[in-house]
Amino acid sequence: MNAPDRFELFVIPEGKKKVEMEVDTKIPNAATFTIEREDHTLGNMLRGQLLKDPRVLFSGYKVPHPLEHNFVVKVQTVPGTSPGKALKDATSELISEINALKNKFDMDVLRHRTFEDAKASQAGYDVDSMNALENHHAGMDVDF
């Protein structure tokens, strides 16, 4: 087939860096960053995080071609702040937000499991036997 190997989606080729910066000579305090082996998911999150920063005047991203596994972010900042510093700060803040979201999710899952265990034990059922019963009758969820 003509499909590229799957490892090409995440393995950075030799001689390439994960992030490359090219300073814009026409616009002051602007740079273009090429980020390898990432897609719209990270590009859009990074653009949004950059725009939350009051030091950033402009941030946009594009994927140059659908068969290329990279995206390009253009950043312009106020005088006195480098685009590289703004990108680094936005990346750190994004990682913190994702970690906070993961922690909240884990706590909610734990809370839900504790609630279900308490509800099952209050009804006088053994939790393990209830799980076995649910798995046994999983295909029989039919309304008569």
Side-chain angles (χ1 to χ4, degrees):
M1 287 233 209
N2 291 334
D5 293 324
R6 291 189 188 271
F7 71 87
E8 289 183 14
L9 295 173
F10 54 88
V11 175
I12 299 172
E14 285 189 39
K16 284 204 171 195
K17 296 179 181 177
K18 179 73 173 177
V19 179
E20 292 182 4
M21 177 178 152
E22 182 181 335
V23 177
D24 195 328
T25 57
K26 297 180 182 179
I27 302 170
N29 295 329
T32 303
F33 300 90
T34 302
I35 301 178
E36 290 291 330
R37 300 304 186 249
E38 297 293 345
D39 59 6
H40 285 285
T41 305
L42 182 62
N44 194 33
M45 288 192 309
L46 201 51
R47 177 200 56 84
Q49 192 68 39
L50 280 161
L51 290 174
K52 289 180 183 179
D53 189 343
R55 302 171 300 171
V56 175
L57 298 174
F58 173 81
S59 175
Y61 85 98
K62 68 178 182 178
V63 175
H65 192 276
L67 295 178
E68 293 178 13
H69 309 293
N70 62 10
F71 67 90
V72 178
V73 179
K74 185 137 189 129
V75 180
Q76 183 182 10
T77 59
V78 298
T81 303
S82 73
K85 171 88 167 108
L87 184 69
K88 185 177 178 181
D89 292 347
T91 303
S92 297
E93 290 169 11
L94 192 58
I95 290 170
S96 296
E97 282 186 23
I98 290 171
N99 283 335
L101 182 64
K102 181 187 177 301
N103 291 339
K104 184 175 179 347
F105 178 79
D106 289 343
M107 290 303 295
D108 284 348
V109 167
L110 184 63
R111 188 177 302 120
H112 177 73
R113 286 181 180 161
T114 304
F115 175 75
E116 290 297 318
D117 290 348
K119 189 167 82 172
S121 66
Q122 189 177 37
Y125 298 112
D126 179 26
V127 176
D128 293 329
S129 64
M130 284 299 293
N131 289 336
L133 186 62
E134 287 176 3
N135 292 337
H136 179 70
H137 293 293
M140 304 179 82
D141 292 333
V142 179
D143 291 331
F144 291 103

